Amino acid sequence: MVKCGGLKMLRIEDGGHGIRADDLPILCERFTTSKLQKYEDLLSIGTFGFRGEALASISHVAHVTVTTMTSTDTCANLATYSEGKLQGQVRPCAGTPGTTLVVENMFYNNPTRRQALGKESIEHSKVLEVVQRYAIHYPNVGFTCRKYNGSFELTTLGGSSPSEVIATIWGQNLAQELFAFDVKSEEPRFSCRGFASNPNYSSRVSTLILFINNRLVESASLKRAVEAVYQPVLPRHQHPWVYLALDVDPTTIDVNVHPTKMEVQFLHEETISQRLQETLASQLRSAGSARSFASVLPSPARGTFTLPVETKDVNTSDKDKVERRQVPNPTRVRTDHRQMSLETIFRESQASQGMQIGAGADAPTTQAGFEVVDSDRMAAFEEAQQLTSVEELRKAVDLACDEKFSTLLNQSIYVGPVNHELVLLQCGASLCLANLAILARECAYQRLLRLIGGFGCMTLEEPLPLSDLMKLGLRDPQSGYDENLHAHEDMVSLERRFEMLLLEKADLLREYFMLEIEEVKVESEETNGVSSQPRQRRGFLKSIPNGLGLSSDVGCCFDSFPLCLVRLCSEVDWSDEKSCLDGICQVIADFCADLLLPSPSVDISRAATDAWNAAVAAGEFEDVAAAATKRPRTSPQELQGLRWLHEAVRKGLCKWPTNFTKDGTVLDLVSLDQLYKIFERC
């Protein structure tokens, strides 16, 4: 039984022979041991302890209580110890044959040593790990381990096989991938047995459970030998699971290498390691013939998404059909900072199949690299490049930029997300905290200016009514429209006015910003065969600007587009050319950044984290596993859009303004080369 990682209490019970009452007064004194019968026994140590130091040391830093009973005793005996001495008299009490050792308030008189220990959860996991490993080595003995006032975390039954105990502790998935091995030798004399995982199993953490002469120890040479065998057959940064029981001549082993007796040295280490390697390599070759691999691509029945693919060219009619195509879901990937990610390959392959999404080139092209052959589109692009207002806006961007900062940011490496907007980036030799939302808006704005009239668009499968989009946009809380505050303004009339404004500016939006709105005459309602009103003008949205040059709509969220249309009508100054183009670029850039930004709801709130930490400290969870399942966390898939967004920003090759390094948009956290030097000194 363990309380607070063993710091408050550690209770150990066994059903052994017990301790005689005559031996209890000297039980916790130094050099008291029952392992040695004569002086020559020191030359061949074959037991766990031999010097009589364990109980003596513990009694100097904790309160020790021993309850024991032999088979000949009529009742159990209870004794308490402190500073190696018996406190009071041995008292009779009720009990069962065996010994119960209770250690309380560990390091109560040595606060410096206690502070050096880890957290209670870490210390508890270490205790549980030791019990688990001994349970494997002694499958004929039943082991139990539990927290104070908690459920049992480990229960094994005596008389089991090692494989059954492994399945109980580590699960059937590991037990089914193990093979047994056995090595024996006469010169040098040793025997070795155990279980090792086959090539179908791997883990990010190397596990070597090593017993030498029934003592749980560690050996760096044996661990390197085992890792070397598995290195050619396992993926990079993956490791095996191995249980190894080695029996050698006790006179050839030195257990006094480390104060904790965990590390040992023994003769013929190289020879034993070589024999072990030969046996494991032979077994792995046999197991490799039946090796299975998990497919990256899911089955068609599940794990796929439907991607709309536009099959028409720019200059074809609107009646061409749109087909759907099944594309594998790129969930399981292997990434390398020096190469393109598998997500990128999936996304670009989707675009190359005909999706009408523009790229970030300096000419109107598709993402797959094919030039747009529409002569009207090319004429609009060339005309936009000659506008004085556009040239002035570009010069303002150039004047504000910092070339060195721009180079570092455009070559940055994505490290990981912090929340729905903040990410960690490696910029040269610095680790930076960047607001990716602001960077994406600036990137989209500059790209719209650079490619005005020639950047791509996302064509909708079915045109959307502009009136319905306006309703959604005005009801958005960020639109600023409140029915109570704007009671004098009829929402229906406002929707109609905004719709008419976009219809009037439809040519400008289509030619320069790829925002295509089709005007349709709609018949009014008739009464007794007579139309009560003339035919009305209605707008239908057919395409959406692609300011960041995305090559797929996977993971995109279009919820903010209705608000974008409302902002075009309410925030853009349509009377001045320069202000008009600048305002449109700003509004569309905000929408393009929101496409891949995760929702703020996926953030882990500080209050929730503090509440969870307080619950753990109060001991409200039965065990470590129960606490881990309740911990608030964010799914990596929910923030996956940030990595794609950073990829689009990095490919935008923008000229980043100097003020981004001063207003908190990009914060230089630490210099990595200096940090590595500190680690080396430590």
Side-chain angles (χ1 to χ4, degrees):
M1 181 184 298
V2 185
K3 182 178 181 181
C4 297
L7 301 180
K8 292 293 185 182
M9 184 191 70
L10 185 63
R11 180 187 180 95
I12 304 173
E13 303 179 21
D14 66 36
H17 300 291
I19 303 173
R20 294 180 301 179
D22 296 340
D23 295 332
L24 289 177
I26 63 171
L27 180 64
C28 289
E29 292 187 5
R30 296 189 66 186
F31 313 122
T32 299
T33 177
S34 61
K35 306 297 190 298
L36 304 178
Q37 301 298 327
K38 55 184 181 297
Y39 180 80
E40 288 75 13
D41 291 341
L42 287 172
L43 302 177
S44 57
I45 303 300
T47 56
F48 298 143
F50 66 95
R51 298 183 302 176
E53 292 284 357
L55 280 177
S57 300
I58 294 174
S59 67
H60 281 79
V61 296
H63 302 299
V64 178
T65 303
V66 177
T67 304
T68 183
M69 180 179 178
T70 64
S71 59
T72 59
D73 291 336
T74 57
C75 64
N77 296 304
L78 185 145
T80 59
Y81 300 87
S82 178
E83 304 293 336
K85 301 297 182 180
L86 177 65
Q87 303 296 307
Q89 299 294 325
V90 177
R91 304 188 304 274
C93 65
T96 57
T99 302
T100 300
L101 178 68
V102 179
V103 180
E104 298 177 294
N105 298 324
M106 185 73 74
F107 299 116
Y108 72 96
N109 55 358
N110 193 346
T112 303
R113 181 65 179 86
R114 182 161 185 162
Q115 291 174 1
L117 296 176
K119 296 181 179 179
E120 295 177 358
S121 59
I122 297 177
E123 297 300 326
H124 178 83
S125 64
K126 291 180 180 179
V127 174
L128 180 60
E129 180 182 345
V130 171
V131 179
Q132 289 174 339
R133 298 191 173 196
Y134 273 103
I136 295 175
H137 190 67
Y138 292 95
N140 57 322
V141 178
F143 286 82
T144 60
C145 182
R146 70 184 180 93
K147 272 189 175 182
Y148 180 76
N149 289 337
S151 60
F152 286 92
E153 296 179 296
L154 171 66
T155 301
T156 63
L157 302 177
S160 304
S161 64
S163 58
E164 292 175 344
V165 178
I166 293 173
T168 301
I169 299 174
W170 271 273
Q172 288 290 345
N173 291 336
L174 172 61
Q176 294 174 355
E177 303 296 342
L178 297 179
F179 62 84
F181 62 90
D182 193 359
V183 186
K184 292 183 179 181
S185 175
E186 293 297 331
E187 186 60 35
R189 187 174 182 181
F190 75 92
S191 64
C192 179
R193 58 181 174 82
F195 292 87
S197 58
N198 59 33
N200 291 332
Y201 176 87
S202 63
S203 173
R204 296 183 63 88
V205 179
S206 178
T207 302
L208 174 60
I209 302 175
L210 175 61
F211 282 83
I212 298 182
N213 291 354
N214 299 321
R215 181 194 296 269
L216 179 62
V217 295
E218 296 177 357
S219 175
S221 60
L222 286 179
K223 188 172 184 178
R224 286 194 300 268
V226 171
E227 290 284 351
V229 176
Y230 279 89
Q231 186 175 4
V233 299
L234 292 182
R236 188 180 180 185
H237 304 307
Q238 298 296 309
H239 305 279
W241 188 99
V242 178
Y243 157 66
L244 182 62
L246 177 63
D247 294 323
V248 298
D249 186 355
T251 60
T252 64
I253 187 170
D254 184 6
V255 298
N256 292 316
V257 177
H258 194 272
T260 63
K261 305 297 185 292
M262 282 301 297
E263 298 180 12
V264 298
Q265 291 181 351
F266 50 94
L267 295 178
H268 313 297
E269 288 188 14
E270 294 184 0
T271 303
I272 294 175
S273 298
Q274 183 179 357
R275 302 283 178 82
L276 177 62
Q277 284 182 322
E278 293 173 356
T279 302
L280 289 177
S282 176
Q283 294 277 8
L284 288 174
R285 282 194 296 269
S286 301
S289 59
R291 187 174 181 180
S292 61
F293 296 89
S295 174
V296 173
L297 302 180
S299 61
R302 55 183 300 181
T304 58
F305 60 86
T306 303
L307 175 69
V309 179
E310 179 65 56
T311 59
K312 69 184 181 67
D313 293 330
V314 176
N315 56 352
T316 56
S317 64
D318 296 336
K319 296 182 179 181
D320 289 353
K321 297 181 179 180
V322 177
E323 62 179 12
R324 288 183 174 269
R325 186 180 187 86
Q326 296 291 332
V327 182
N329 186 1
T331 302
R332 301 180 60 185
V333 298
R334 181 183 301 167
T335 59
D336 190 335
H337 71 279
R338 296 165 299 180
Q339 300 176 356
M340 297 173 61
S341 63
L342 290 183
E343 284 94 335
T344 305
I345 298 175
F346 274 111
R347 292 157 69 83
E348 291 190 353
S349 64
Q350 295 160 10
S352 63
Q353 294 169 358
M355 192 170 184
Q356 203 69 126
I357 298 181
D362 290 333
T365 60
T366 63
Q367 179 66 21
F370 302 107
E371 295 185 358
V372 178
V373 297
D374 191 341
S375 58
D376 294 337
R377 172 58 53 204
M378 183 61 68
F381 174 75
E382 294 176 352
E383 178 185 349
Q385 307 312 306
Q386 307 300 322
L387 294 176
T388 305
S389 56
V390 174
E391 185 64 24
E392 292 176 354
L393 292 173
R394 290 174 180 169
K395 287 183 179 180
V397 172
D398 294 340
L399 291 175
C401 82
D402 184 327
E403 294 184 1
K404 183 178 180 180
F405 172 61
S406 299
T407 302
L408 290 175
L409 198 54
N410 290 332
Q411 296 176 357
S412 62
I413 299 172
Y414 183 82
V415 178
V418 177
N419 59 19
H420 72 287
E421 289 186 348
L422 300 179
V423 297
L424 290 176
L425 303 178
Q426 181 181 344
C427 301
S430 299
L431 181 66
C432 299
L433 180 68
N435 191 317
L436 193 55
I438 298 178
L439 296 180
R441 294 185 181 103
E442 179 65 21
C443 177
Y445 173 77
Q446 292 189 23
R447 191 173 181 275
L448 291 171
L449 285 179
R450 188 170 68 248
L451 300 176
I452 186 169
F455 55 85
C457 68
M458 290 176 276
T459 304
L460 303 178
E461 291 184 359
E462 297 180 0
L464 298 178
L466 208 56
S467 57
D468 294 343
L469 294 175
M470 286 299 175
K471 290 180 182 178
L472 294 175
L474 288 173
R475 285 174 172 79
D476 193 302
Q478 300 183 25
S479 66
Y481 181 84
D482 190 337
E483 295 182 357
N484 297 326
L485 298 177
H486 303 86
H488 62 282
E489 186 79 40
D490 182 20
M491 178 177 288
V492 176
S493 61
L494 188 60
E495 294 169 1
R496 183 61 179 164
R497 181 156 58 87
F498 283 175
E499 182 181 3
M500 291 297 101
L501 176 60
L502 293 182
L503 286 176
E504 294 175 3
K505 309 298 182 181
D507 293 339
L508 170 66
L509 296 174
R510 182 184 68 256
E511 293 180 4
Y512 287 172
F513 297 99
M514 301 295 289
L515 181 62
E516 185 174 359
I517 299 176
E518 181 183 19
E519 181 178 347
V520 178
K521 298 291 186 179
V522 179
E523 294 289 346
S524 303
E525 298 181 358
E526 297 184 358
T527 304
N528 298 328
V530 179
S531 177
S532 58
Q533 296 180 358
R535 299 176 65 183
Q536 296 183 353
R537 301 167 58 193
R538 291 296 182 186
F540 289 86
L541 184 69
K542 300 182 63 177
S543 64
I544 298 175
N546 184 15
L548 285 174
L550 303 179
S551 55
S552 171
D553 62 351
V554 178
C556 294
C557 178
F558 297 87
D559 293 348
S560 62
F561 187 70
L563 179 62
C564 174
L565 295 178
V566 172
R567 292 183 59 195
L568 286 176
C569 299
S570 60
E571 298 181 10
V572 175
D573 182 7
W574 297 91
S575 60
D576 179 72
E577 179 181 303
K578 181 178 178 180
S579 301
C580 175
L581 297 178
D582 179 61
I584 296 176
C585 289
Q586 292 284 3
V587 172
I588 295 180
D590 291 347
F591 160 71
C592 293
D594 292 339
L595 280 175
L596 289 176
L597 279 177
S599 171
S601 61
V602 304
D603 277 351
I604 303 176
S605 66
R606 184 64 184 174
T609 303
D610 292 342
W612 178 80
N613 291 332
V616 173
E620 296 181 8
F621 298 103
E622 296 179 355
D623 49 32
V624 177
T629 57
K630 298 298 183 180
R631 180 176 183 176
R633 55 169 58 88
T634 301
S635 172
Q637 285 74 18
E638 293 176 328
L639 298 176
Q640 182 72 4
L642 290 174
R643 190 155 70 94
W644 290 345
L645 191 60
H646 169 261
E647 185 178 347
V649 169
R650 192 169 57 85
K651 289 182 178 181
L653 300 178
C654 296
K655 300 177 181 180
W656 301 103
T658 307
N659 65 315
F660 276 10
T661 61
K662 302 177 181 179
D663 61 4
T665 301
V666 179
L667 294 177
D668 190 346
L669 298 180
V670 65
S671 177
L672 296 179
D673 54 352
Q674 297 297 325
L675 189 61
Y676 294 151
K677 293 180 181 179
I678 296 175
F679 287 159
E680 291 174 358
R681 289 197 297 269
C682 295

